[in-house]
Amino acid sequence: MQRPLLQLAAGLLWFVTNSPAALAGEWIVETHSLTVRSPASIAGTEDAAIGDFGVPLYGASMLSEVIRSTDNTLACQPFNNHVSQEPNGLPQVLLAERGSCYFIEKAYNAEKAGFKGVLIYDNVDERLLTMAAPEDRPEIAKLADDITIPTALLTHAVGQKLADAIKRGDSVVVELDFKESMAHPDDRVEWEFWTSSNDACGAGCDRQSLFKSEFAETAISLDQRGYTQFTPHYMIQRCLEHGRSQTCADNCINHGRYCAMDSIPTELQGRYKGRQVIEENKRQLCIWHQAEAKHQAWLWWTYVQLFNQNCKMGSNTFDNACAETQVQACNLSVATLQDCMGDSDADEDHVLLKAELEQQGTESIGGAAGRVVLLPTVVINSRQYRGHLDAVSITKALCSAFIETTEPEVCLTGNIQEDDCMSGIQNCWRNATLNVDACVDTYRGYKCQCPEGWRGSGQQCEDIDECLDDFACDHTCINLPGSYRCECDEGFNLMFALLALQFGGRGSPGFCFPKNMCGEHNGGSHTQLATTPLCAASGAGLRLAKDGKACEDIDECAEHTDECDQQCINKDPRKSGIPYACSCNLGYSIDLQDRHKCLKTSEFLSQMGLTFQAASWWSVALASGVAALLAVLAGYAIQRFRIRQEMHNEVREIMRQYMPLDSAEDASVTVHSSANKTGAFKPPTAPTGTRNSFMVHEDEETKC
């Protein structure tokens, strides 16, 4: 990637990397593993520095044969012949020595010749370096747009060892392994994008603008769904003279504290200076902070996409008026934004810009990330990304930073990675007859994991007989390979069978309901749940009649099952909502704390805060009547609530245990009969690759 720097008068500006804060950090060389597989005499694993152009194979590896040209050892000239496929079928990577031309030219010539990668080894003994495009040669730097192969730098010792083996006639096979080049600790990726709002600094700015537009939709989706946490950053430098020169005034704010690092083309310098760039950078920082406070941090992508489309230096619209129009389109507060931006002419620090300046060169962006000295820079899980800045390449890098099997579905699409389960290289268990296997495709490769309904190591899987579980089905359970099916006796229907067929899944819900759930001989509005009628199950003062269909009232008073102290009044709960009520003899009143007990009227009045002597006979009678009425009403409400709650809980328990399942068909089945089983079936596991699972909510009372 071309990384333009601000071209200002020498000596007037210090780059932030020369500041004390920046020097506290260290420039990190990102590497991948290079393992020599053959010949055995030089076998071993070494580090290779990932180039800052080309496309690294993050999360993957490539077994390759190393080729060295005999007449173009430096790869500074185009190759006359295109690479031919060798009999061993391995892709070929070029080995070239450093010197005589730019790194990027060697990689460009290798790609055009058909090589699948390029390894450049140093011509002096020194530690590994990061290969980058030449900043002062834009015509050379733009070659990066056409380089799509991985590039790496080797030390002189490692490269010379490979070159000597090839010279001896040995077949040199190496594995370029990028699987650990990107940290992947958990199921969420934290990443940063160091950028600039400048759209006229050349190919580098053009590439940043294009990336923001192309990647916005993916970035917003990943952030909204919790897969990623994104933070934008902006590179800044200081003015040495703190605003006392015209150069600082033109390109800096806050008296030279914060200056843009981007160059402005000569033809636009009459209208624009670095000051406008740093102002817009500050605005975009404030937009992210305002959106993040609203838990909508992805609005930053929406804004920069709109700004890049509508506010351009070339069309003379790169200004505050255009920016505020885009802010309003994002439903953000212009007033809040202005408060955040503050006074750019003030001789004081700006909290956000000061933080940006500090983070460029210290451990505050993560100890492993090191200094940020190149623009643009992408940091993923505290590792600096190396390679081409485009939507597909960044998506691949982000996908490699998830712990395996937790990556979003976009990581498993065809243009991002190949399905290793379809490639034939996996060694997982497979049942060809049923066309089912244990291979689970991941971004990094695959994992062997027995599918739902099977158990084992993944290399070997056996069917789970769900019918051995007492809670599998209500009436009859039929085991199927990897699944099971529930069936009901004559006169019953399987609950929610149509939903199970519609939404798929393993097995079927195991509850059976009478076909005539609300018939006139089924207890009025009372239904029968499987083999246990609700009239008996609920304990609501009803029981199953002798005909086995209807519910009849229990006379608790006649059967002496009531708990009343003195008098019992039987009730039909289908009409009154309570099974019975208690009353008291003359001179007694219902205890308000226990509706089954009776208290002497004097004791009852004492509870009410009165004395018998202070009350006339009619007030006593009135109080007794009111107490009895309150007791009956309270009893009715409590019992009604208890009955309703018990019925509601039973329905909710059924709905909670039910998940949409599917039944597979197979000729070989095992039948288990469990005529009196009740309970829950096993819910299916939510499908991988999505964070949204299907759920059924049943919040209304079942009615006939």
Short mmCIF file of all heavy atoms in Angstrom, two decimals, residues 677-697:
data_model
loop_
_atom_site.label_atom_id
_atom_site.label_comp_id
_atom_site.label_asym_id
_atom_site.label_seq_id
_atom_site.Cartn_x
_atom_site.Cartn_y
_atom_site.Cartn_z
N LYS A 677 -45.79 -42.58 29.32
CA LYS A 677 -44.69 -41.62 29.55
C LYS A 677 -45.18 -40.20 29.36
O LYS A 677 -45.88 -39.90 28.42
CB LYS A 677 -43.52 -41.90 28.63
CG LYS A 677 -42.67 -43.08 29.06
CD LYS A 677 -41.38 -43.10 28.28
CE LYS A 677 -41.51 -43.98 27.08
NZ LYS A 677 -40.26 -44.09 26.35
N THR A 678 -44.79 -39.33 30.24
CA THR A 678 -45.01 -37.90 30.06
C THR A 678 -43.70 -37.21 30.35
O THR A 678 -42.84 -37.73 31.06
CB THR A 678 -46.10 -37.35 31.01
OG1 THR A 678 -45.68 -37.59 32.34
CG2 THR A 678 -47.43 -38.02 30.75
N GLY A 679 -43.55 -36.02 29.84
CA GLY A 679 -42.32 -35.26 30.09
C GLY A 679 -41.88 -34.53 28.86
O GLY A 679 -42.65 -34.31 27.95
N ALA A 680 -40.64 -34.19 28.85
CA ALA A 680 -40.12 -33.32 27.79
C ALA A 680 -39.25 -34.11 26.85
O ALA A 680 -38.60 -35.06 27.23
CB ALA A 680 -39.29 -32.19 28.41
N PHE A 681 -39.25 -33.69 25.62
CA PHE A 681 -38.32 -34.25 24.64
C PHE A 681 -37.06 -33.40 24.63
O PHE A 681 -37.05 -32.28 25.08
CB PHE A 681 -38.94 -34.28 23.24
CG PHE A 681 -39.41 -32.94 22.80
CD1 PHE A 681 -38.57 -32.08 22.11
CD2 PHE A 681 -40.68 -32.49 23.12
CE1 PHE A 681 -38.98 -30.84 21.73
CE2 PHE A 681 -41.09 -31.24 22.74
CZ PHE A 681 -40.25 -30.41 22.04
N LYS A 682 -35.97 -33.95 24.03
CA LYS A 682 -34.70 -33.22 24.00
C LYS A 682 -34.75 -32.13 22.95
O LYS A 682 -35.01 -32.41 21.79
CB LYS A 682 -33.54 -34.17 23.71
CG LYS A 682 -33.29 -35.15 24.85
CD LYS A 682 -32.08 -36.01 24.58
CE LYS A 682 -32.38 -37.03 23.50
NZ LYS A 682 -31.27 -37.96 23.31
N PRO A 683 -34.49 -30.90 23.35
CA PRO A 683 -34.49 -29.82 22.34
C PRO A 683 -33.29 -29.94 21.44
O PRO A 683 -32.23 -30.37 21.88
CB PRO A 683 -34.42 -28.54 23.18
CG PRO A 683 -33.76 -28.97 24.44
CD PRO A 683 -34.19 -30.40 24.68
N PRO A 684 -33.42 -29.52 20.18
CA PRO A 684 -32.28 -29.59 19.25
C PRO A 684 -31.30 -28.49 19.52
O PRO A 684 -31.63 -27.46 20.09
CB PRO A 684 -32.93 -29.41 17.87
CG PRO A 684 -34.11 -28.54 18.17
CD PRO A 684 -34.60 -28.97 19.54
N THR A 685 -30.09 -28.73 19.10
CA THR A 685 -29.05 -27.69 19.17
C THR A 685 -29.23 -26.70 18.05
O THR A 685 -29.50 -27.08 16.91
CB THR A 685 -27.66 -28.34 19.08
OG1 THR A 685 -27.54 -29.32 20.11
CG2 THR A 685 -26.56 -27.28 19.22
N ALA A 686 -29.10 -25.39 18.37
CA ALA A 686 -29.24 -24.37 17.32
C ALA A 686 -28.19 -24.58 16.27
O ALA A 686 -27.05 -24.92 16.57
CB ALA A 686 -29.12 -22.97 17.91
N PRO A 687 -28.52 -24.36 14.98
CA PRO A 687 -27.54 -24.56 13.91
C PRO A 687 -26.37 -23.62 14.06
O PRO A 687 -26.54 -22.48 14.48
CB PRO A 687 -28.33 -24.27 12.64
CG PRO A 687 -29.47 -23.43 13.09
CD PRO A 687 -29.79 -23.89 14.47
N THR A 688 -25.15 -24.12 13.74
CA THR A 688 -23.97 -23.27 13.82
C THR A 688 -23.96 -22.26 12.70
O THR A 688 -24.62 -22.43 11.69
CB THR A 688 -22.69 -24.13 13.74
OG1 THR A 688 -22.72 -24.84 12.50
CG2 THR A 688 -22.61 -25.12 14.89
N GLY A 689 -23.18 -21.17 12.89
CA GLY A 689 -23.02 -20.17 11.84
C GLY A 689 -23.98 -19.02 11.96
O GLY A 689 -24.02 -18.13 11.13
N THR A 690 -24.87 -19.05 13.03
CA THR A 690 -25.80 -17.94 13.19
C THR A 690 -25.98 -17.68 14.65
O THR A 690 -25.87 -18.58 15.47
CB THR A 690 -27.16 -18.24 12.52
OG1 THR A 690 -28.05 -17.17 12.78
CG2 THR A 690 -27.78 -19.51 13.06
N ARG A 691 -26.26 -16.45 15.02
CA ARG A 691 -26.50 -16.10 16.41
C ARG A 691 -27.98 -15.93 16.70
O ARG A 691 -28.36 -15.53 17.76
CB ARG A 691 -25.74 -14.83 16.77
CG ARG A 691 -24.24 -15.04 16.58
CD ARG A 691 -23.43 -14.07 17.36
NE ARG A 691 -22.04 -14.48 17.31
CZ ARG A 691 -21.07 -13.91 17.97
NH1 ARG A 691 -21.30 -12.91 18.74
NH2 ARG A 691 -19.83 -14.33 17.87
N ASN A 692 -28.82 -16.18 15.76
CA ASN A 692 -30.26 -16.05 15.95
C ASN A 692 -30.88 -17.43 15.90
O ASN A 692 -30.82 -18.10 14.89
CB ASN A 692 -30.88 -15.16 14.87
CG ASN A 692 -30.32 -13.76 14.92
OD1 ASN A 692 -30.09 -13.26 16.00
ND2 ASN A 692 -30.09 -13.15 13.77
N SER A 693 -31.47 -17.90 17.02
CA SER A 693 -32.09 -19.22 17.03
C SER A 693 -33.60 -19.06 17.04
O SER A 693 -34.15 -18.10 17.55
CB SER A 693 -31.64 -20.00 18.25
OG SER A 693 -31.97 -19.31 19.43
N PHE A 694 -34.30 -20.05 16.47
CA PHE A 694 -35.75 -20.00 16.42
C PHE A 694 -36.31 -20.30 17.79
O PHE A 694 -35.92 -21.28 18.42
CB PHE A 694 -36.26 -21.02 15.41
CG PHE A 694 -37.76 -21.14 15.39
CD1 PHE A 694 -38.52 -20.21 14.71
CD2 PHE A 694 -38.38 -22.15 16.08
CE1 PHE A 694 -39.89 -20.31 14.70
CE2 PHE A 694 -39.75 -22.25 16.08
CZ PHE A 694 -40.52 -21.33 15.38
N MET A 695 -37.22 -19.48 18.26
CA MET A 695 -37.85 -19.71 19.55
C MET A 695 -39.35 -19.53 19.40
O MET A 695 -39.83 -18.70 18.63
CB MET A 695 -37.32 -18.73 20.60
CG MET A 695 -35.83 -18.88 20.89
SD MET A 695 -35.29 -17.77 22.17
CE MET A 695 -36.17 -18.43 23.57
N VAL A 696 -40.13 -20.32 20.16
CA VAL A 696 -41.58 -20.20 20.16
C VAL A 696 -42.00 -19.67 21.50
O VAL A 696 -41.61 -20.21 22.54
CB VAL A 696 -42.23 -21.58 19.91
CG1 VAL A 696 -43.73 -21.46 19.98
CG2 VAL A 696 -41.80 -22.12 18.57
N HIS A 697 -42.76 -18.61 21.52
CA HIS A 697 -43.27 -18.02 22.76
C HIS A 697 -44.79 -18.21 22.78
O HIS A 697 -45.49 -17.79 21.87
CB HIS A 697 -42.93 -16.52 22.86
CG HIS A 697 -41.46 -16.26 22.88
ND1 HIS A 697 -40.72 -16.35 24.03
CD2 HIS A 697 -40.60 -15.96 21.88
CE1 HIS A 697 -39.47 -16.07 23.76
NE2 HIS A 697 -39.37 -15.84 22.45
#
